[in-house]
Amino acid sequence: MSMDNVIEKIRIALCDNTEPYLYSGEELYAILELAAANYSKYKPAKKKGTIYVELGKSEYSLPNDFQTWIGGLENYDIFDGIVDLGFSPMQSFEIKFSYLATRTPEEIPTVDLPLLVDYTFYFIIDGAIKETSDISALKLGKGLQIQFSNINELNKAAERRLKGFNDKLMGSFGGWV
């Protein structure tokens, strides 16, 4: 499923599926990136990286998607996305490492893409509900309207979607009884 299909499903859930759209594709994609980052807290991608060490340079930036290392960086200090070799190298060499990474929306397995739809629905509805504290009604899309009379119903629907997102990612924990 492409990101265009995922955005289309979000628009359908929000009743925002006819032009002009209330939310641009870029706005929805930005929320999908946030959803993917939250997804990655529980199911990060495993990636490999290489640091090309240069003569006299002791600090190197890690990839932007870096969460934590798995192997290869044991002998170095890491702080705030920077690897500090702890010495000034006298020659060039490579450091190969593996790490856990934050996924982009495109890197989420197809089977889990509905979770991104749920998270995005929750995010938008939750934000809209917070805004309704100052106004009597807020229209989302062409058919989803938030009023004081239905705010609890929409809030529960949004919370169910967030709960489903979290439950699926954290899985069930159990033990011997």
Side-chain angles (χ1 to χ4, degrees), residues 14 16 29-30 58 61-62 64 66 68 72 88 90 94 102 104 109 121 137 161 168:
L14 294 170
D16 186 28
Y29 188 80
S58 64
S61 295
L62 289 164
N64 290 336
F66 180 88
T68 190
S88 182
M90 302 301 275
E94 293 180 359
T102 300
T104 65
F121 179 87
R161 296 236 179 167
K168 173 79 172 167

Side-chain angles (χ1 to χ4, degrees), residues 1-152:
M1 182 183 311
S2 72
M3 283 303 110
D4 288 338
N5 292 25
V6 173
I7 288 174
E8 181 181 328
K9 290 188 181 301
I10 293 166
R11 290 193 188 290
I12 290 168
L14 294 170
C15 299
D16 186 28
N17 52 349
T18 56
E19 294 186 39
Y21 299 126
L22 185 61
Y23 296 95
S24 71
E26 293 81 19
E27 290 171 309
L28 293 176
Y29 188 80
I31 299 169
L32 283 171
E33 287 180 316
L34 181 62
N38 280 312
Y39 176 96
S40 297
K41 290 177 185 176
Y42 303 101
K43 293 186 176 185
K46 293 178 184 172
K47 294 187 177 181
K48 295 182 186 265
T50 303
I51 296 172
Y52 299 97
V53 177
E54 301 170 14
L55 180 68
K57 184 178 176 189
S58 64
E59 292 186 350
Y60 296 87
S61 295
L62 289 164
N64 290 336
D65 61 357
F66 180 88
Q67 288 182 1
T68 190
W69 60 271
I70 299 170
L73 297 174
E74 296 86 352
N75 299 321
Y76 309 103
D77 292 327
I78 300 171
F79 181 73
D80 201 23
I82 303 290
V83 174
D84 184 354
L85 302 180
F87 61 92
S88 182
M90 302 301 275
Q91 63 184 21
S92 299
F93 60 96
E94 293 180 359
I95 302 171
K96 296 198 178 287
F97 62 98
S98 55
Y99 66 103
L100 298 179
T102 300
R103 298 174 188 256
T104 65
E106 291 81 8
E107 294 173 318
I108 303 295
T110 302
V111 69
D112 286 341
L113 287 175
L115 295 175
L116 299 189
V117 174
D118 287 347
Y119 185 90
T120 304
F121 179 87
Y122 162 77
F123 187 88
I124 289 172
I125 296 299
D126 186 60
I129 287 172
K130 288 176 182 167
E131 289 178 23
T132 61
S133 63
D134 295 330
I135 57 177
S136 62
L138 177 66
K139 186 167 173 90
L140 291 177
K142 306 297 183 268
L144 186 58
Q145 188 165 342
I146 298 176
Q147 298 176 339
F148 286 124
S149 61
N150 70 350
I151 199 166
N152 287 334

Side-chain angles (χ1 to χ4, degrees), residues 152-170:
N152 287 334
E153 180 183 324
L154 281 170
N155 192 34
K156 286 178 186 175
E159 287 177 356
R160 277 193 305 273
R161 296 236 179 167
L162 180 63
K163 183 179 181 330
F165 177 85
N166 288 330
D167 288 351
K168 173 79 172 167
L169 292 179
M170 289 188 235

